[in-house]
Amino acid sequence: MSCWNPRAEEMSLEEIQRLQFKLLKTQVYRLYSFSEFYHKRMKEANVHPDDINSLEDIRKLPFMYKKDLRDNYPNRLFVGGQDELVRYHVSSGTTGKPTVVGYTQRDLDNWAESVARAMTSIGLGRHDTIQVSYGYGLFTGGLGAHYGAERIGATVIPASTGNTERQVELIKDLNVTAICCTPSYFLHIAETAEKMGISIEKDTKLRTAVLGAEPWTEKMRKRIKDSTGVNAYDIYGTSELSGPMFTECTEMNGMHIWGDIAYVEIIDPETGEPLGPGERGEMVITMLQKEALPIVRYKTGDITAYEDSPCPCGRNHLRIERLSGRVDDMLIIRGINVFPSQVEYTLMTIPELGEHFQIVVDRKGVLDTMMVRVELKPSAFSDKLSDLIKLKKNAEYVLKNSLNVAAEVELLEPGSLARFEGKAKRVVDNRRD
Amino acid sequence: MSCLIDQISVFVENRPGKLAAIAEVMEAQMVDFLAFSIAEADGFGLLRAVVSDPQSVVAVMKDLGYAVITNKVIAVKMKDQPGGLKEIANVLGTAQINVEYGYAYTKNDSAVLILRVDDAEKSVEVLKKAGFNLLEEENLKA
């Protein structure tokens, strides 16, 4: 196993947990003393730092919500003075007011450290040329990947998003070996390369993709591998945690959450009860060392499960499985929970359909209707109407089977859905209450 | 000289403006339509056409991302009078040839029937034997 930071990465589970408790205790004392917000919250919950006597005692602490960040816009949750702050990022606020996150130099160092460990764990290093095609700017993706890649000594191309043909040229001409971007943008780059007559597999050195900021699937990983020869790795992080931070290792079997940086709980989103290894629920994260914007028991809204058995890669830091959706992305169609990621996973099982799709939810009278619009693959097109009708009916059948709710399928011309360079917007909900 | 003619088929979404977009591409390519048909199914359609230069149209449309393919069809000249279709149908039926679909156009005094059949070569043979006139690829150019 090649490690970026062997002392941290080779700890046993017991060592990790001992360290986590120490860090938690320190953080809770610090917040009780210096954060108005946490002090008040802990008083309300009737919990004092002295009540935290084991790692499990973290459950005595109140949850923190996205809403807390919005309600305290722009910086009322920050701890420490303005002089300590070295950077802001601002989230896009797709579902409401934007949220502002702040960093001390140590916060930025820990973030880069986390990404450096992650990139090393998938085999990247100083010999690599890494193209960062996440957006640079207020979004955390670009700079997060950038500083992590620089830290391991790789050569970084700060390509950001956009000008996709140019991106393809850079990949080819600068011998790019790895790329960081959203999964939908990677597909767009691959499509563009194909149109330009460039085979990623034969004409470029690109072999690794670090994909995140939106959910994707195991099928997509296979499709990417088969069509471009690129090994795609999942990366996780949100601006509240710092940004993209944690990836899978070469085992491709869950993303390692560095225990000295974050403590993960998985809870039942309805009851708040803790769930065990392998049980899917909402992820709650505590950042153990964050200074400027402390994050304690933050309800991420992300659905996943954890595994704390030792990873074959040799690391004992627990792993979370690929996210299977967001608590708030969840659509309720006729009383049934539907995750857009399930729709994507199901469509991927049908080879005649492309990767791009859109879910349109509507209400006819009192009944919810769901339509899945999906592009036909040009190679799958035949001149027979009956083949196309069969394809449509088959897609409707498998969707119904996997979602337990009927969906109408609309076949679209290839390329007719909008392509996204950032996060893909897959759902149009026209229901009005 | 082959009597098997290339027909292009394009997948079209059943939405306003979609056909116009395709027509625009064809116009820009100076495509001469000899005949075309639009078949509609559940929310989508197929545009089928016999054009003057099918291979270049297909190449351009593929580049633009359309789902488009070519198929072999036959084009039979028929008398523009009652009973014309019956004679052709009889010949094909007797030879156990199945017609998948067809469409026609008239020009001057003659009508031409475009047919997609399950055995194009055999159709050409039996129709010729029965005295029918089939268009050849060359007839479509210019």
Side-chain angles (χ1 to χ4, degrees):
Chain A
M1 146 171 105
S2 80
C3 283
W4 172 252
N5 181 343
R7 207 168 68 100
E9 291 174 61
E10 288 170 1
M11 280 191 285
S12 69
L13 193 57
E14 292 70 36
E15 286 172 310
I16 294 170
Q17 287 173 345
R18 244 193 335 264
L19 178 59
Q20 285 182 316
F21 172 63
K22 236 167 69 183
L23 291 167
L24 174 69
K25 188 97 179 159
T26 312
Q27 183 75 323
V28 171
Y29 268 114
R30 177 172 167 263
L31 298 184
Y32 193 75
S33 312
F34 298 112
S35 162
E36 209 184 308
F37 171 82
Y38 280 104
H39 187 88
K40 204 169 139 235
R41 275 287 165 91
M42 284 169 68
K43 282 269 185 193
E44 281 166 8
N46 204 17
V47 52
H48 186 271
D50 288 343
D51 299 331
I52 308 298
N53 295 310
S54 71
L55 203 46
E56 284 70 39
D57 282 343
I58 196 171
R59 291 179 203 150
K60 294 177 182 169
L61 297 168
F63 289 123
M64 184 183 177
Y65 302 86
K66 180 90 180 170
K67 186 173 178 301
D68 293 324
L69 286 140
R70 290 202 199 105
D71 290 351
N72 290 284
Y73 178 90
N75 58 3
R76 289 202 301 275
L77 291 182
F78 289 15
V79 176
Q82 179 71 33
D83 289 358
E84 308 301 321
L85 276 185
V86 296
R87 197 194 296 165
Y88 288 122
H89 278 284
V90 181
S91 88
S92 48
T94 41
T95 51
K97 238 204 294 198
T99 51
V100 176
V101 294
Y103 306 77
T104 64
Q105 186 56 52
R106 189 155 164 265
D107 289 337
L108 291 181
D109 285 344
N110 277 333
W111 181 13
E113 161 80 18
S114 181
V115 178
R117 288 185 204 170
M119 285 181 165
T120 307
S121 81
I122 57 176
L124 299 177
R126 46 187 304 124
H127 49 281
D128 282 289
T129 300
I130 302 178
Q131 182 153 320
V132 177
S133 303
Y134 280 118
Y136 277 67
L138 293 175
F139 173 56
T140 54
L143 290 176
H146 181 101
Y147 283 105
E150 272 192 1
R151 180 155 299 194
I152 60 170
T155 315
V156 182
I157 305 174
S160 198
T161 55
N163 203 342
T164 309
E165 293 195 358
R166 173 89 161 282
Q167 302 251 6
V168 175
E169 279 163 17
L170 291 175
I171 289 169
K172 184 164 175 274
D173 297 344
L174 296 179
N175 294 322
V176 168
T177 55
I179 188 167
C180 304
C181 59
T182 61
S184 49
Y185 195 47
F186 183 82
L187 294 174
H188 185 51
I189 289 174
E191 265 180 18
T192 305
E194 199 178 314
K195 272 186 201 150
M196 292 164 70
I198 292 172
S199 155
I200 287 181
E201 185 154 25
K202 296 200 187 80
D203 304 329
T204 78
K205 300 228 159 22
L206 186 61
R207 295 298 172 263
T208 304
V210 182
L211 308 181
E214 61 186 32
W216 54 297
T217 60
E218 208 52 39
K219 287 263 172 188
M220 205 144 141
R221 162 145 54 207
K222 190 170 179 301
R223 210 183 259 193
I224 288 171
K225 176 76 181 172
D226 291 346
S227 63
T228 64
V230 168
N231 289 312
Y233 294 90
D234 206 359
I235 185 166
Y236 177 75
T238 69
S239 63
E240 295 84 3
L241 312 187
S242 285
M245 291 192 104
F246 309 110
T247 67
E248 301 169 301
C249 59
T250 43
E251 297 294 321
M252 292 188 174
N253 189 18
M255 294 173 275
H256 284 283
I257 307 290
W258 312 116
D260 54 327
I261 291 180
Y263 180 75
V264 168
E265 299 167 81
I266 307 290
I267 60 161
D268 181 318
E270 302 289 316
T271 64
E273 285 304 306
L275 298 174
E279 293 183 304
R280 226 171 258 177
E282 180 177 4
M283 176 161 51
V284 172
I285 285 198
T286 300
M287 298 301 287
L288 296 167
Q289 301 191 40
K290 247 171 135 238
E291 292 183 336
L293 175 60
I295 293 289
V296 172
R297 298 203 84 203
Y298 179 68
K299 291 187 83 173
T300 60
D302 291 317
I303 304 283
T304 182
Y306 77 91
E307 187 53 64
D308 59 2
S309 59
C311 180
C313 78
R315 292 175 182 82
N316 297 305
H317 296 261
L318 71 75
R319 286 160 287 156
I320 55 165
E321 66 170 34
R322 183 185 289 285
L323 305 188
S324 43
R326 287 190 50 78
V327 174
D328 41 321
D329 277 351
M330 188 174 77
L331 291 162
I332 303 181
I333 315 268
R334 295 182 211 170
I336 292 167
N337 299 346
V338 173
F339 290 104
S341 53
Q342 281 175 291
V343 174
E344 174 169 13
Y345 182 83
T346 308
L347 292 176
M348 285 276 202
T349 61
I350 305 172
E352 292 91 349
L353 300 177
E355 291 88 355
H356 299 277
F357 70 97
Q358 185 184 47
I359 299 169
V360 182
V361 185
D362 222 319
R363 181 167 288 159
K364 293 212 171 87
V366 291
L367 206 59
D368 296 331
T369 61
M370 176 164 73
M371 184 196 277
V372 176
R373 312 179 66 211
V374 58
E375 291 179 11
L376 184 70
K377 264 202 197 151
S379 55
F381 175 60
S382 91
D383 171 54
K384 286 193 174 161
L385 276 180
S386 53
D387 286 353
L388 293 166
I389 293 169
K390 216 182 284 168
L391 173 61
K392 177 184 143 95
K393 295 283 178 229
N394 179 44
E396 285 172 350
Y397 175 77
V398 294
L399 280 172
K400 163 103 201 209
N401 266 351
S402 83
L403 306 177
N404 289 317
V405 61
E408 192 190 338
V409 169
E410 185 184 8
L411 298 178
L412 303 180
E413 291 167 17
S416 61
L417 284 173
R419 300 296 192 256
F420 298 98
E421 289 174 359
K423 292 191 186 194
K425 290 179 198 69
R426 305 272 195 215
V427 178
V428 178
D429 196 335
N430 295 321
R431 288 177 294 188
R432 279 187 199 94
D433 287 311
Chain B
M1 288 294 151
S2 170
C3 292
L4 302 184
I5 292 165
D6 279 325
Q7 164 198 255
I8 61 168
S9 301
V10 190
F11 178 81
V12 196
E13 283 168 39
N14 198 355
R15 281 172 186 273
K18 287 292 184 183
L19 184 60
I22 292 174
E24 205 170 297
V25 173
M26 304 250 188
E27 187 190 356
Q29 287 301 301
M30 310 277 280
V31 174
D32 196 5
F33 277 94
L34 281 107
F36 77 97
S37 88
I38 297 169
E40 192 271 343
D42 216 352
F44 58 87
L46 283 179
L47 170 72
R48 297 179 175 121
V50 175
V51 298
S52 50
D53 189 357
Q55 295 315 329
S56 70
V57 174
V58 166
V60 169
M61 296 203 71
K62 272 200 175 145
D63 275 350
L64 291 171
Y66 284 100
V68 56
I69 52 166
T70 60
N71 278 105
K72 296 291 185 192
V73 292
I74 56 173
V76 193
K77 273 192 194 164
M78 55 197 273
K79 293 170 218 147
D80 191 8
Q81 63 187 53
L85 177 61
K86 192 186 86 182
E87 289 172 36
I88 297 173
N90 268 339
V91 171
L92 294 175
T94 311
Q96 295 290 309
I97 291 164
N98 190 34
V99 177
E100 288 171 12
Y101 56 80
Y103 48 100
Y105 71 95
T106 58
K107 198 173 182 183
N108 303 329
D109 280 341
S110 70
V112 175
L113 182 62
I114 312 282
L115 289 174
R116 168 80 177 160
V117 291
D118 59 359
D119 188 341
E121 302 203 351
K122 192 172 168 198
S123 307
V124 171
E125 190 192 312
V126 296
L127 286 167
K128 275 190 171 168
K129 202 183 271 177
F132 282 98
N133 226 332
L134 276 79
L135 290 189
E136 291 172 1
E137 271 183 307
E138 288 303 303
N139 301 130
L140 305 178
K141 304 234 163 88

